[in-house]
Amino acid sequence: MTVLQSFIGGRWVGSQAAQTLRSAINGQAVAQTHAESLDFAEALHFARSTGLPALLALNFQQRAQILKALAKYIMERKEQLYAISAHSGATRADSWVDIEGGAGTLFAYASMGSAELPSSNVLHEGPAIPLGKKGGFSGTHILVPRRGVVVHINAFNFPIWGLLEKFAPSFLAGMPTIGKPATATSYLTEAVVRMMNESGLLPPGALQLIIGGTGDLLDRLTGSDVVTFTGSADTAAKLRVHPNVIRNSIPFNAEADSLNCAILGPDVSPDDEEFDLFVKEVAREMTVKAGQKCTAIRRSIVPAQHLDAVIERLSKRLAGVVVGDPAVEGVRMGALASHAQQADVAERVALLRQSAECVFGGEAITPRGEGTEAGAFFGPTVLLARKPLETASVHDVEAFGPVTTLMPYSDIEEALALAARGQGSLVGSLVTRSPQVAARVVPEVAALHGRVLVLDREAAVESTGHGSPLPMLKHGGPGRAGGSEELGGIRAVKHLLQRTAVQGSPTMLAAVTGEFVRGAARIETDVHPFRRCFEDLQIGESLTTHRRTVSEADIVNFGGISGDYFYMHFDAIAAKDTQFGQRIAHGYFVLSAAAGLFVSPAPGPVLANYGLDTLRFVKPVAIADTIQARLTAKRKIDRMKVDDKGRGQGVVAWDVEVMNQDGELVASYDILTLVSKRGV
């Protein structure tokens, strides 16, 4: 039998068998944990002395490229992971969320990192702010790698996604990861870590794996390190007050199980499509992963007048769910992840049933498939709390399995009160047809929920569902849910970076941030900046253009071409009564005229302009005003793109200032261009 191994100090550790891990389907032994103790001082030393320098030798863009390659590598070998995942009781669809969802998160962070992060290890959170009257002293914020290690302690329900959704932003942030999966399904985490290590894509020390307990690991962390946890609220509370975590102010991020709710709006009747959407969503959250999701719907809040209809339709839908070995055709729900989990869910349902009646399930089931009598199965169970505001346990006790409790309400105020009784949740859903109901409910529910799904027939066509955290949106919630955040796009990376205010002259700030800061020294040359290839262009290279006087004919011609005949440009009498006192040029004419001043028209390294950022029209331009532009290379990002001829490309952001004859700023913006590299 396979003895699972930890990956510590660049080697696999473990040969002596300890705890036996059994299949959730038939109870047969799957793997054993190892008995050897781990040297966590060695693990941290390896992460700091080997992993950290290797990661910081790469920049954000390069690390993003590695994530993309790693995601492809995993996807090419996903069937190996599906085969192992079957032991956890997961159906193919359940495993898809874990395996391909995990790889998809790597892809997502690779894409976001490529689009939003610089080709350096300093992320500038600008703009710079002048701190003096003469322009010689400014301040700004930068985000830099913490020079520490991140410890991820994960739950049993998503052994692959749980690791990868935390690893991806950590890797982008330049932090070595030590992952500690829950023991029950650690055989699947070990398999994906082996795969990642065998890829040869990860720098040494970037990822280590603990099978078993964390020992004295938390005692050895410093203020540069980070701890994240996914699991029960009780365990999160214990870890949060670990003496060393408190003493060293170690950032601690918890994503805890919560009593998430779904509210059926008072405007929805049994004849509406939204009624069935509600029933379908509740049933799905009960049966996907056998209800073992921290985002599952534990409390189903419904109008009292529709309670019987909800019970009838939900029971009918759940009655059609075949439970058993996912390898058997027709099975739609598998087992709980372990026999210990099965016992825990049974105990908590029994506790809930002391104050809530069972309206569906609650009896022993006969799962389909050979040997399943020894499996960790638990049938879908629907409870009913007829007086939920008077029943404390349904708002405090969570059965982490295919269980939900129905709660009737009389009006929207009571529904909101019930939602709040969860004391902080990861996600809440509102199913409604009415924008007015959504506008009333969502702001109040949002105060105690990390994410809110508003579901109607329009959204249902593409909705990913109540229980699906997405890489682009934050995951986490207040109160009982842990009070922290993860995912949320580049926010997750920024959570792991150190934000620091920097003060100095604009020239010094430009050197530190790697971006041109207005007021900093410019580089004036005889070569137009647009004639420079990507590698040759220096930050701060600048061009001050010739001048152009704006005529009435310019305004008339631009209006004719654009179709913009706004009175401020054409009606002298009406314009006289405005704050400007006269006709003014179109803002977009000023933009176009500025481009005519600074563009180098001949073919060259600049391939395309694909956008403007931070555009502001600062001061109006009147007839007979003279404008002049100043173009400065602000930021370069090597995204390692190539064209169809194999020639490299990068992105250059240019700072543009348009001034009038008095030297006053009239327009300000960044222009983004794709610039080719030198030919090979």
Side-chain angles (χ1 to χ4, degrees):
M1 186 184 304
T2 300
V3 175
L4 302 178
Q5 295 182 306
S6 296
F7 187 55
I8 295 293
R11 69 186 191 281
W12 291 95
V13 176
S15 59
Q16 300 175 22
Q19 179 182 350
T20 298
L21 306 181
R22 301 190 178 278
S23 167
I25 300 299
N26 53 31
Q28 295 181 3
V30 173
Q32 293 174 308
T33 61
H34 65 77
E36 291 89 342
S37 298
L38 297 175
D39 185 344
F40 292 111
E42 177 195 6
L44 289 169
H45 176 73
F46 186 68
R48 292 180 175 128
S49 64
T50 302
L52 189 57
L55 284 171
L56 296 184
L58 306 168
N59 60 45
F60 289 117
Q61 288 288 319
Q62 290 168 327
R63 293 194 291 271
Q65 292 298 314
I66 291 175
L67 285 181
K68 182 177 180 180
L70 194 61
K72 289 181 177 178
Y73 188 89
I74 291 172
M75 286 298 290
E76 289 168 356
R77 293 157 179 80
K78 63 183 180 182
E79 293 304 327
Q80 300 174 31
L81 300 175
Y82 273 111
I84 300 170
S85 182
H87 296 305
S88 71
T91 65
R92 176 84 184 193
D94 296 337
S95 296
W96 181 90
V97 175
D98 192 31
I99 297 167
E100 298 190 45
T105 301
L106 295 184
F107 275 124
Y109 272 95
S111 177
M112 290 184 286
S114 177
E116 301 182 46
L117 297 177
S119 45
S120 70
N121 279 317
V122 177
L123 177 57
H124 183 204
E125 270 197 335
I129 305 165
L131 300 176
K133 294 181 179 179
K134 297 181 180 179
F137 186 53
S138 296
T140 194
H141 293 90
I142 60 172
L143 292 127
V144 297
R146 296 177 60 90
R147 271 68 175 177
V149 179
V150 58
V151 175
H152 295 310
I153 303 171
N154 292 318
F156 66 84
N157 51 344
F158 290 101
I160 292 179
W161 179 86
L163 173 73
L164 297 185
E165 63 100 6
K166 292 182 174 68
F167 170 76
S170 303
F171 186 80
L172 269 183
M175 294 192 77
T177 290
I178 297 177
K180 190 275 182 234
T183 299
T185 52
S186 57
Y187 51 85
L188 191 49
T189 311
E190 193 230 36
V192 77
V193 171
R194 282 190 183 277
M195 187 177 288
M196 294 164 73
N197 182 57
E198 290 166 359
S199 74
L201 294 166
L202 292 179
L207 176 61
Q208 299 183 77
L209 173 69
I210 298 170
I211 298 294
T214 54
D216 63 354
L217 176 60
L218 297 188
D219 294 314
R220 296 179 176 277
L221 300 181
T222 72
S224 294
D225 301 322
V226 174
V227 178
T228 77
F229 170 79
T230 298
S232 73
D234 290 342
T235 304
K238 293 176 183 177
L239 293 175
R240 192 187 298 277
V241 297
H242 186 282
N244 190 50
V245 170
I246 294 174
R247 182 169 51 249
N248 286 305
S249 301
I250 297 169
F252 180 84
N253 193 94
E255 186 261 280
D257 305 333
S258 59
L259 289 161
N260 312 292
C261 70
I263 302 172
L264 179 62
D267 59 296
V268 178
S269 76
D271 295 328
D272 291 325
E273 184 178 337
E274 282 74 13
F275 193 92
D276 287 326
L277 288 175
F278 176 85
V279 170
K280 180 180 179 181
E281 200 69 23
V282 172
R284 178 166 63 177
E285 290 302 311
M286 291 178 65
T287 55
V288 170
K289 293 288 288 186
Q292 299 169 111
K293 294 169 62 180
C294 55
T295 52
I297 297 171
R298 304 300 179 197
R299 299 178 304 142
S300 301
I301 302 171
V302 302
Q305 67 268 31
H306 299 318
L307 176 62
D308 290 342
V310 170
I311 292 173
E312 179 185 354
R313 292 197 198 177
L314 181 58
S315 299
K316 182 178 180 180
R317 179 173 283 272
L318 292 174
V321 175
V322 178
V323 180
D325 183 347
V328 176
E329 186 176 354
V331 168
R332 290 177 52 199
M333 191 181 101
L336 299 176
S338 67
H339 293 79
Q341 182 63 17
Q342 181 189 43
D344 182 74
V345 172
E347 179 183 343
R348 290 173 180 268
V349 167
L351 185 60
L352 288 169
R353 291 186 67 171
Q354 293 177 11
S355 54
E357 61 187 282
C358 183
V359 295
F360 181 85
E363 300 176 356
I365 61 169
T366 303
R368 186 174 298 181
E370 186 176 349
T372 54
E373 65 278 0
F377 293 92
F378 197 96
T381 302
V382 180
L383 305 176
L384 169 61
R386 292 193 180 274
K387 296 182 178 180
L389 285 176
E390 301 174 15
T391 309
S393 62
V394 295
H395 307 294
D396 296 328
V397 177
E398 180 181 24
F400 201 74
V403 182
T404 196
T405 300
L406 295 174
M407 302 180 183
Y409 69 86
S410 58
D411 57 32
I412 198 66
E413 299 304 323
E414 189 172 337
L416 291 170
L418 289 170
R421 288 287 296 272
Q423 304 170 61
S425 299
L426 294 172
V427 56
S429 285
L430 169 66
V431 181
T432 180
R433 295 185 60 185
S434 168
Q436 291 75 27
V437 169
R440 171 70 183 90
V441 170
V442 170
E444 190 157 339
V445 169
L448 287 169
H449 292 73
R451 176 167 56 89
V452 179
L453 168 67
V454 182
L455 187 62
D456 64 0
R457 65 191 68 186
E458 181 181 354
V461 177
E462 297 181 299
S463 172
T464 52
H466 168 99
S468 298
L470 298 173
M472 299 73 71
L473 299 176
K474 65 155 279 193
H475 182 45
R480 180 189 174 105
S484 302
E485 293 184 10
E486 58 192 38
L487 296 180
I490 294 301
R491 280 188 186 87
V493 181
K494 292 182 177 181
H495 286 324
L496 296 165
L497 298 171
Q498 172 61 39
R499 178 179 285 102
T500 299
V502 183
Q503 298 164 282
S505 70
T507 298
M508 292 301 175
L509 295 185
V512 170
T513 62
E515 293 187 6
F516 173 75
V517 174
R518 286 187 184 172
R522 288 182 168 84
I523 302 170
E524 303 277 359
T525 72
D526 294 333
V527 179
H528 192 296
F530 277 17
R531 312 311 302 172
R532 301 275 196 197
C533 289
F534 182 82
E535 305 96 319
D536 301 327
L537 183 67
Q538 302 176 74
I539 298 299
E541 277 200 60
S542 187
L543 169 73
T544 301
T545 70
H546 57 284
R547 299 176 178 85
R548 172 173 177 168
T549 299
V550 178
S551 68
E552 181 178 17
D554 291 329
I555 296 175
V556 172
N557 289 335
F558 189 83
I561 292 171
S562 65
D564 181 353
Y565 293 103
F566 187 58
Y567 78 93
M568 282 301 306
H569 312 311
F570 288 93
D571 189 334
I573 295 174
K576 186 176 181 179
D577 293 332
T578 69
Q579 59 182 323
F580 305 125
Q582 60 183 321
R583 290 166 62 193
I584 61 173
H586 304 71
Y588 291 108
F589 166 76
V590 175
L591 225 61
S592 300
L597 292 172
F598 63 67
V599 165
S600 178
V606 175
L607 304 173
N609 162 14
Y610 68 90
L612 296 175
D613 284 342
T614 66
L615 172 62
R616 293 293 183 272
F617 296 118
V618 181
K619 190 177 181 66
V621 174
I623 296 169
D625 278 356
T626 298
I627 61 173
Q628 185 177 36
R630 185 158 56 205
L631 175 79
T632 307
K634 179 177 182 177
R635 179 174 59 250
K636 292 170 57 179
I637 301 176
D638 185 352
R639 292 183 178 156
M640 294 171 280
K641 293 183 178 180
V642 296
D643 59 21
D644 54 3
K645 297 179 181 178
R647 190 172 183 180
Q649 302 173 351
V651 172
V652 178
W654 306 85
D655 176 80
V656 180
E657 298 171 274
V658 185
M659 297 148 294
N660 64 17
Q661 66 276 4
D662 298 319
E664 298 170 320
L665 190 67
V666 300
S668 171
Y669 53 97
D670 292 350
I671 185 171
L672 308 176
T673 61
L674 198 62
V675 180
S676 68
K677 296 182 178 180
R678 292 191 299 268
V680 179

